[in-house]
Amino acid sequence: MKITEQIKQPIAYEMELFEQKFQLSMASKVALLNRITHYIVNRKGKQMRPMFVFLVAKMLNNGEVSERTYRGASVIELIHTATLVHDDVVDDSNRRRGFFSINALWKNKIAVLIGDYLLSKGLLLSIDNNDFDLLKIISVAVREMSEGELLQIEKARQLDITEEVYYDIIRQKTATLIAACCSLGAASVKPNTPQVDTMRKFGELIGMAFQIKDDLFDYGEEKIGKPTGIDIKEQKMTLPLIHVLNNCNKKDKAWLINSVKNYNKDKKRVKQVIVFVKENGGLEYAIKKMKSFQEEALTLLDSYPDSSYKASLKLMVEYVIDRKK
């Protein structure tokens, strides 16, 4: 059995019901909108985010979920889908999970409007049901994701990223959404309790490990859907590169910065950078950091009684850093 199927087992019923509710949450009177949202639903990914919502809720609430849990999962998936649609426009990307992206099929203007529609649907789902605590969690996540992206763009221009700034970027850009999933799961069944913040921290740590794993793919040999060296080509400063930059001599540092700044489209030079980062311990350092975030996340689960939901969350934490794509 695939690890994702194993993780999903204790929430299989909820995930099936969630898919129906999620489709309903996107419904519109506009035929074009329904056609596009139908296309989106039929090309869904692994649905890791709703899985976090249900697993956390069931672990904290003796295996029970509420209608608020379904709404929380729908909100997070609506917002996440909106950001992916907008990302494809920003990145001028024609593919998403092996299929044509919305902007490739319906052009940028429609894709931007679809993203806006999904975002507003998510917000209204919370407002219409007076889930203001859930709305606050998701709104903070959207703000932080935007700030993280802009901080990364600003720093990529200067190439002066310290490790601390890098952690700020990935905390906002990637980890904040997984943190929101886990705190939504907690808030849906145990509102206004310390569990909400504990689970937010748990999700944030997993998100940090998840992003560092993504960084490592840029240096790997495996076929993972994005070519090796793409981050360097896009002048994205990742942890292996930052570590080597901050720990090599002046001459090598100048060569690295010059390579990323002026030769980032030169395949041969990008390969040389990858080899240099590997030979100077960049990957080992990033793996060590990734594992420390993973271990910290697992420690937060120790205080909860054993259950199939807790076991699945542990599997999820392992999957994040063992995945092949």
Side-chain angles (χ1 to χ4, degrees), residues 171-202:
R171 189 175 287 112
Q172 292 182 299
K173 207 183 85 139
T174 305
T176 193
L177 194 64
I178 299 177
C181 296
C182 296
S183 53
L184 278 173
S188 72
V189 291
K190 301 282 179 190
N192 308 313
T193 64
Q195 321 273 32
V196 179
D197 202 51
T198 304
M199 287 295 106
R200 185 200 61 76
K201 185 66 184 163
F202 169 74

Side-chain angles (χ1 to χ4, degrees), residues 228-244:
T228 306
I230 197 86
D231 288 338
I232 296 166
K233 189 181 165 196
E234 292 175 0
Q235 296 183 324
K236 280 183 187 162
M237 302 293 281
T238 58
L239 188 55
L241 179 60
I242 292 163
H243 175 71
V244 172

Side-chain angles (χ1 to χ4, degrees), residues 27-83:
S28 159
K29 293 188 177 80
V30 179
L32 175 62
L33 254 171
N34 287 331
R35 211 158 55 238
I36 298 171
T37 53
H38 180 74
Y39 179 83
I40 290 169
V41 167
N42 287 333
R43 280 147 194 83
K44 62 183 183 294
K46 297 182 198 77
Q47 294 188 306
M48 269 174 67
R49 286 154 195 86
M51 282 158 72
F52 273 122
V53 176
F54 290 116
L55 286 170
V56 166
K58 291 188 90 170
M59 180 182 77
L60 298 182
N61 201 35
N62 301 318
E64 298 294 320
V65 298
S66 67
E67 269 307 310
R68 269 164 58 86
T69 314
Y70 286 103
R71 290 199 295 269
S74 292
V75 167
I76 206 89
E77 199 66 348
L78 284 164
I79 305 282
H80 174 58
T81 309
T83 62

